[in-house]
Amino acid sequence: MRATITDMEPIAYIEAPFPQKFGIPRQSGLADTLACIRFEPKYADADAVKGLDGFSHIWLIWEFQDTGDEWSPTVRPPLLGGNKHMGVFATRSPFRPNPIGLSSVVLDRIEYTDEGPILYVRGADLRDGTPILDIKPYLAYTDSHPDALGGFTDEVEWQTLDILIDEGAADAFAELAEDTRDGLLQILAQDPRPARQRNLSKDFTITYANINVTFRVEEGVATITRIEALS
């Protein structure tokens, strides 16, 4: 007998550089951050990923965590400044009737180990430890729609922040691995601040890749003021 949706169990979990929600890119592909997917023992079979290494991108179907039991028919997308309501099914809000997420990521490589295959992916917008429910290959000939309409998102002028490194954080920034530096700059450029707090003059701190990064934003520029390694 086939399992129903209520019988689903994670096939894997992701190890990502985002231990908390704040700082995670709002969509997959916005930051070229590296993560890995480790299969549960039941599914850690090299035969299960046979042929997957021929695909450059994959779909991750996953479960939102800590969203609560309540859902609303309307939500306030951060893209609209958190001030306008849209129908939940017209958004990618985590506050849904069923907490299911969908992300398109780059398949960087597959590593085969004694514990099973490990998938290394780039561009994931998942918090560390997120359960993966399924993995499917991305097919450009059917999944890509260059002329697709983006609804209300087409009406928003996309703006990214310029990045400056404060003198007090320059040495710590220089000591970071190149991949970490690049990922951090891409994350901050997307302005991770909550939409309702973007008019506040205050410092914000995100945790990324085992470091705490404090920054402030003024006139379209994000300045990194402090970088502190976590023990």
Side-chain angles (χ1 to χ4, degrees):
M1 181 177 178
R2 291 180 61 85
T4 65
I5 192 76
T6 55
D7 296 326
M8 285 197 306
E9 61 181 7
I11 63 168
Y13 290 85
I14 195 167
E15 294 181 0
F18 304 107
Q20 58 189 24
K21 181 180 178 181
F22 182 48
I24 297 178
R26 292 188 173 89
Q27 302 292 340
S28 57
L30 291 180
D32 186 35
T33 54
L34 185 67
C36 71
I37 297 171
R38 296 183 186 272
F39 289 92
E40 287 288 270
K42 181 178 178 179
Y43 304 102
D45 189 325
D47 285 342
V49 297
K50 184 178 180 180
L52 191 63
D53 57 358
F55 295 89
S56 64
H57 295 69
I58 57 177
W59 289 107
L60 302 180
I61 302 171
W62 46 279
E63 182 181 1
F64 283 104
Q65 300 293 290
D66 302 327
T67 58
D69 298 327
E70 296 295 328
W71 76 280
S72 171
T74 62
V75 296
R76 290 180 285 196
L79 187 62
L80 298 179
N83 298 317
K84 295 182 179 180
H85 286 80
M86 290 290 169
V88 64
F89 300 128
T91 75
R92 298 187 177 186
S93 167
F95 303 102
R96 321 185 69 79
N98 294 304
I100 298 174
L102 178 68
S103 297
S104 171
V105 299
V106 175
L107 179 58
D108 187 82
R109 68 185 189 275
I110 302 177
E111 182 178 311
Y112 295 91
T113 72
D114 292 339
E115 288 74 36
I118 301 173
L119 308 185
Y120 287 84
V121 300
R122 290 187 174 275
D125 53 342
L126 283 69
R127 195 180 71 182
D128 184 51
T130 294
I132 307 297
L133 301 175
D134 201 3
I135 297 169
K136 297 179 184 290
Y138 176 95
L139 304 177
Y141 77 90
T142 185
D143 293 344
S144 177
H145 305 281
D147 298 327
L149 299 179
F152 66 85
T153 68
D154 287 342
E155 303 170 5
V156 178
E157 182 179 354
W158 290 86
Q159 295 181 338
T160 57
L161 301 176
D162 293 326
I163 310 297
L164 290 179
I165 315 298
D166 188 80
E167 183 178 345
D171 289 343
F173 181 80
E175 292 174 358
L176 298 176
E178 181 178 1
D179 201 55
T180 301
R181 292 199 303 268
D182 291 345
L184 175 60
L185 294 178
Q186 292 170 14
I187 292 166
L188 293 181
Q190 300 298 324
D191 196 349
R193 297 176 299 165
R196 295 184 182 180
Q197 298 186 33
R198 290 183 179 176
N199 292 325
L200 300 180
S201 178
K202 57 176 288 188
D203 288 345
F204 294 84
T205 300
I206 63 171
T207 302
Y208 168 69
N210 211 36
I211 55 174
N212 278 338
V213 181
T214 301
F215 67 98
R216 63 175 178 267
V217 178
E218 296 175 343
E219 299 181 352
V221 177
T223 301
I224 298 174
T225 59
R226 180 178 175 84
I227 298 175
E228 182 180 19
L230 300 177
S231 56

